[in-house]
Amino acid sequence: MAGSRLPRQLFLQGVAAVFMFAFASLYTQIPGLYGPDGILPARRTLRPQGKGRWQQLWETPTLLWEAPRLGLDTAQGLELLSLLGALLALGALLLRPLRHPLVYLLLWAAYLSACQVGQVFLYFQWDSLLLETGFLAVLVAPLRQPPQGKQTPKGGPAGALPHEALPFWLVRWLLFRLMFASGVVKLTSRCPAWWGLTALTYHYETQCLPTPAAWLVHRLPVWLHKLSVVATFLIEIAVPPLFFAPVRRLRLAAFYSQVLLQVLIIITGNYNFFNLLTLVLSTALLDDRHLAAQPGHSHRKTVPTSWPKALLAWLSLLLELAVYAVLAYGTVHCFGLEVDWQQRTIHSRTTPPSVAFTFHQFSQWLKTVTLPSVWLGVASLAWELLAAVWRWTQVRGWLRKLSAAVQLSVLGTATVSLFVISLVPYSYVEPGTHGRLWPGAHRLFGAVEHLQLANSYGLFRRMTGLGGRPEVVLEGSYDGHRWTEIEFMYKPGNVSRSPPIVVPHQPRLDWQMWFAALGPHTHSPWFTSLVLRLLQGKEPVIRLLQSHVARYPFHEQPPTYIRAQRYKYWFSQPGEQGQWWRRQWVEEFFPAVSLGDPTLETLLRQFGLQDKSPLRARSSNSTLAWALHWVRTQLSPLEAPTLLWGLLVAVAAVRVVQALPAPWSLQSSPPARGEKQRQAPKKDLGAACEQATPAPDNCSSGSRTPRRKK
């Protein structure tokens, strides 16, 4: 059995990096989104109801309840949490001792606290995914980091604590739920673009924030887009069960298929930290043997020493080939694929080109496989539990055995409980299976649902903008006759401006503007508040549109009137010089209003956006509030993507310095006579440790030199 120490360390570093990006990205937007003059002030969400302190904290789990005790309002408390979260995540990313369960618990609690007051701007699936992944990191992180010399790069049970692999299995299960559900919902939604294999002919143009590469990929042949849809279904529906395959090469093949999909999405779309987080989850498919592979050793064939091992190797190879054959045959059969050698294309034989099965057939198939997929998870988890118990039997010493038994019991119970809880949101993909689940699972999930320990997923359910991407364009005027468009930094507006690259930053207002364009403005109540703040000329909100206020067309004086128009946008044709987009006016999205306008006042009152409660009194001499203001002043000139890229460059520079050998290690001086005499018995001790192979604590420094030689 290959070990998982290196993948676990890679996972913990990845989670820390994603938390760092998420907190830093959120920090830059807090004043405009949640400040007293923001679109949705955070203070509205936390109003004491006369309940006890602990009951209030359990029902609305956020550390921001304690902000007034520090002399801060809710938005300032959110700034403090974001800054501390980003710094703590940065420390965990760079310093191994900080990859501790307590550190990840603090990161999870801080982000959960933010989500409790984030309202619609933090209601994205990747926010829930980060919370669930962050809590799993609490269980995966070791209580005590083993010394570097005791790492076992080639894996194996020797030296591994019995419970180590159990929580990490939940990461694999989460990745399975995420990918399988994301593939299934594309078909259960009955979206004609997915069923007709034409989704990707629209996707690159209609996604929220495309990149410049999306313009190029959008021009690829239609048959290649359809083949890409087939590949997407294959990677998201057929491949995920291989996450639990007993053959490691199948798991590695599944890993690289997920990496390919996520990298292509990163290249063509700005999906903030979501794809990075999915790549982090994919580390659960790796093992120490793969990550520690050395050049020159990968092609060395291992000759089995006995016929049972040789038979097992052949059976594994046959199983691997059979799986690839089934996947290939199923793909060709389900989508009616055939090769046109004359035109050098691949197309579908069905008329019109689409999947070769009906919605009813797919629904019956889903009913057939959903419950067995649950049992697949049960069987895989049972195997992990048995392996953990076997490792526990190998522990030497009654004190160590007792300590290992306690840790195994606690983490084993936590792993099984989280698995049971996750079955409820996972079964949402098939209502029949959801109703047949054990009632205790529903009760357990209901008790902790507000903590977001397990969530349902389903990305890109329906393809929008089939007749052109809808886009809302704000306009301002001083006289109500001459109107000036109000540009956003990231979303499409000016047809000659190229699509930006902002990953891993998520401009949350730009994202919500994309959702608002899909329906009437009454479906997005926050839009009325945005109009109000722009009429009032509130600088924090203006900075969400333009980080440099001088670029805002009404920076000297707020507009008297504001309205919004709905357009349809398309990518420009290759021959149109200097233009990235084409657009066509559709209709008025929001009527022209001014401050005190009855229409505006009615909408504010209807949506409950008239905040008449007074601001909470704050100490004007609060050192903490002054420090937060100073930090904000220093960082405000930087655009959010620049800040995040700067963090990334700084982390890369520090990691390069950490990888360099220490200067004193390059200058080796001959040991003194006494040192030579003291080294001799250590070598003998190392040899004895290799022969007896006891627990690693029995041969500490003496066993390190032989391991490095291997």
Side-chain angles (χ1 to χ4, degrees):
M1 292 174 59
S4 60
R5 280 193 174 183
L6 293 179
R8 287 200 304 273
Q9 286 296 323
L10 191 60
F11 168 75
L12 293 175
Q13 294 178 68
V15 172
V18 173
F19 266 123
M20 179 185 69
F21 292 137
F23 279 120
S25 174
L26 178 62
Y27 171 78
T28 62
Q29 305 172 77
I30 289 173
L33 295 179
Y34 305 117
D37 296 328
I39 299 174
L40 296 177
R43 69 175 186 270
R44 298 175 181 171
T45 61
L46 294 182
R47 292 177 177 172
Q49 303 293 331
K51 300 178 181 178
R53 183 178 181 183
W54 294 108
Q55 182 183 0
Q56 184 175 258
L57 183 62
W58 173 254
E59 293 180 357
T60 308
T62 174
L63 300 174
L64 296 174
W65 287 114
E66 305 301 317
R69 298 176 183 268
L70 301 175
L72 306 175
D73 63 20
T74 306
Q76 289 176 321
L78 186 55
E79 286 190 30
L80 179 62
L81 275 183
S82 299
L83 279 175
L84 294 179
L87 291 175
L88 194 60
L90 177 62
L93 178 59
L94 295 176
L95 302 175
R96 211 157 153 265
L98 286 181
R99 293 169 208 152
H100 189 274
L102 180 59
V103 171
Y104 287 97
L105 180 63
L106 291 174
L107 292 173
W108 172 80
Y111 205 73
L112 178 64
S113 300
C115 289
Q116 294 299 315
V117 301
Q119 303 166 80
V120 68
F121 294 108
L122 277 168
Y123 285 173
F124 294 95
Q125 290 194 46
W126 37 82
D127 294 313
S128 300
L129 182 63
L130 179 55
L131 282 174
E132 187 169 351
T133 306
F135 192 80
L136 294 185
V138 177
L139 303 179
V140 173
L143 285 172
R144 185 181 62 179
Q145 290 283 356
Q148 290 281 13
K150 290 189 180 182
Q151 294 289 338
T152 54
K154 291 192 176 182
L161 295 175
H163 64 272
E164 282 183 346
L166 272 180
F168 200 45
W169 178 89
L170 287 172
V171 179
R172 199 190 317 170
W173 172 247
L174 172 57
L175 179 65
F176 169 79
R177 288 164 41 215
L178 171 68
M179 301 310 300
F180 185 74
S182 296
V184 164
V185 297
K186 292 176 175 59
L187 295 175
T188 56
S189 67
R190 300 196 184 195
C191 175
W194 286 114
W195 279 87
L197 304 181
T198 59
L200 293 185
T201 61
Y202 306 103
H203 165 73
Y204 303 107
E205 182 178 65
T206 61
Q207 60 183 320
C208 180
L209 296 177
T211 65
W215 187 93
L216 297 173
V217 176
H218 182 68
R219 299 298 167 194
L220 293 176
V222 174
W223 69 266
L224 188 55
H225 285 307
K226 293 183 177 181
L227 187 61
S228 299
V229 173
V230 173
T232 301
F233 284 133
L234 178 67
I235 293 174
E236 292 186 344
I237 298 179
V239 170
L242 300 183
F243 297 169
F244 309 103
V247 180
R248 67 183 295 270
R249 285 194 299 267
L250 288 175
R251 297 195 300 272
L252 292 177
F255 166 77
Y256 284 109
S257 68
Q258 303 303 316
V259 170
L260 174 64
L261 177 62
Q262 300 307 319
V263 168
L264 290 177
I265 295 176
I266 291 174
I267 292 173
T268 57
N270 290 287
Y271 288 94
N272 50 80
F273 58 80
F274 166 64
N275 304 110
L276 300 176
L277 183 55
T278 307
L279 289 174
V280 170
L281 292 175
S282 300
T283 58
L285 304 177
L286 299 174
D287 53 45
D288 289 344
R289 204 168 90 197
H290 186 69
L291 290 179
Q294 299 178 0
H297 292 270
S298 57
H299 298 289
R300 183 182 301 174
K301 294 183 179 180
T302 303
V303 180
T305 56
S306 60
W307 70 265
K309 290 184 178 180
L311 179 61
L312 185 60
W314 277 104
L315 290 177
S316 298
L317 179 60
L318 291 176
L319 176 61
E320 186 179 358
L321 294 176
V323 168
Y324 294 145
V326 169
L327 289 177
Y329 173 77
T331 303
V332 172
H333 176 72
C334 291
F335 299 99
L337 300 180
E338 66 179 8
V339 180
D340 188 334
W341 297 105
Q342 293 182 350
Q343 299 182 0
R344 297 181 180 179
T345 61
I346 300 177
H347 59 84
S348 175
R349 292 190 303 268
T350 59
T351 304
S354 64
V355 296
F357 48 87
T358 64
F359 178 79
H360 175 72
Q361 290 173 328
F362 178 75
S363 299
Q364 292 300 317
W365 175 86
L366 189 59
K367 289 180 181 179
T368 304
V369 302
T370 303
L371 194 58
S373 69
V374 172
W375 286 111
L376 174 64
V378 171
S380 180
L381 178 57
W383 174 261
E384 293 292 340
L385 288 169
L386 290 175
V389 172
W390 178 82
R391 286 193 296 268
W392 174 77
T393 62
Q394 308 303 306
V395 176
R396 298 291 182 265
W398 69 270
L399 190 58
R400 291 179 188 168
K401 202 158 193 169
L402 178 61
S403 174
V406 172
Q407 295 180 68
L408 179 59
S409 301
V410 171
L411 284 176
T413 302
T415 300
V416 173
S417 300
L418 285 175
F419 172 71
V420 172
I421 291 172
S422 70
L423 294 180
V424 177
Y426 169 66
S427 62
Y428 290 158
V429 299
E430 205 287 296
T433 303
H434 180 74
R436 285 183 288 175
L437 283 182
W438 176 49
H442 291 277
R443 290 193 297 269
L444 193 59
F445 174 75
V448 297
E449 184 177 6
H450 63 296
L451 299 178
Q452 299 191 48
L453 301 182
N455 305 277
S456 60
Y457 304 101
L459 299 165
F460 305 106
R461 184 184 302 267
R462 297 187 64 88
M463 196 55 56
T464 59
L466 301 187
R469 65 172 293 150
E471 201 67 58
V472 172
V473 176
L474 281 166
E475 297 176 340
S477 172
Y478 289 120
D479 55 12
H481 299 287
R482 291 172 296 179
W483 295 89
T484 303
E485 290 190 9
I486 299 176
E487 277 286 312
F488 283 70
M489 284 185 289
Y490 308 116
K491 83 178 196 69
N494 187 341
V495 294
S496 14
R497 184 166 57 93
S498 67
I501 299 177
V502 299
V503 65
H505 172 58
Q506 181 184 1
R508 294 181 180 268
L509 177 59
D510 294 64
W511 268 86
Q512 285 299 334
M513 289 290 291
W514 182 79
F515 283 106
L518 301 178
H521 71 86
T522 53
H523 290 178
S524 304
W526 58 266
F527 189 84
T528 304
S529 182
L530 170 64
V531 171
L532 173 66
R533 296 310 190 196
L534 293 179
L535 287 170
Q536 294 171 340
K538 298 299 183 181
E539 184 175 323
V541 177
I542 293 174
R543 286 187 176 274
L544 294 176
L545 279 64
Q546 293 291 338
S547 58
H548 300 288
V549 179
R551 299 177 184 172
Y552 181 67
F554 303 98
H555 64 276
E556 295 181 353
Q557 180 184 349
T560 307
Y561 302 94
I562 281 185
R563 70 182 185 185
Q565 307 288 343
R566 196 198 312 265
Y567 286 82
K568 282 192 175 181
Y569 276 66
W570 298 269
F571 273 142
S572 63
Q573 297 296 327
E576 301 178 33
Q577 296 295 330
Q579 286 195 341
W580 288 84
W581 299 96
R582 294 179 294 111
R583 75 178 188 180
Q584 179 183 346
W585 182 84
V586 177
E587 62 183 349
E588 183 180 69
F589 179 77
F590 194 90
V593 295
S594 59
L595 288 177
D597 188 286
T599 302
L600 180 61
E601 295 297 324
T602 300
L603 289 172
L604 291 173
R605 187 167 50 253
Q606 176 184 346
F607 298 137
L609 297 173
Q610 290 181 322
D611 189 8
K612 299 180 181 180
S613 61
L615 292 175
R616 295 179 181 176
R618 302 193 307 271
S619 172
S620 58
N621 299 323
S622 172
T623 305
L624 193 54
W626 176 86
L628 288 172
H629 177 72
W630 181 84
V631 173
R632 173 69 61 184
T633 304
Q634 301 303 310
L635 296 179
S636 58
L638 294 175
E639 291 189 11
T642 305
L643 176 62
L644 268 64
W645 294 337
L647 281 174
L648 184 60
V649 171
V651 168
V654 172
R655 296 308 294 265
V656 169
V657 172
Q658 289 177 336
L660 293 176
W664 55 84
S665 66
L666 301 177
Q667 301 174 357
S668 57
S669 57
R673 181 182 302 177
E675 292 179 354
K676 289 183 178 180
Q677 294 176 356
R678 286 193 295 269
Q679 288 175 359
K682 288 186 178 181
K683 293 180 180 179
D684 296 337
L685 176 60
C689 289
E690 278 189 300
Q691 294 176 2
T693 62
D697 289 341
N698 294 341
C699 46
S700 56
S701 61
S703 61
R704 295 179 191 174
T705 303
R707 287 182 183 176
R708 281 200 293 267
K709 288 181 180 178
K710 291 181 183 178

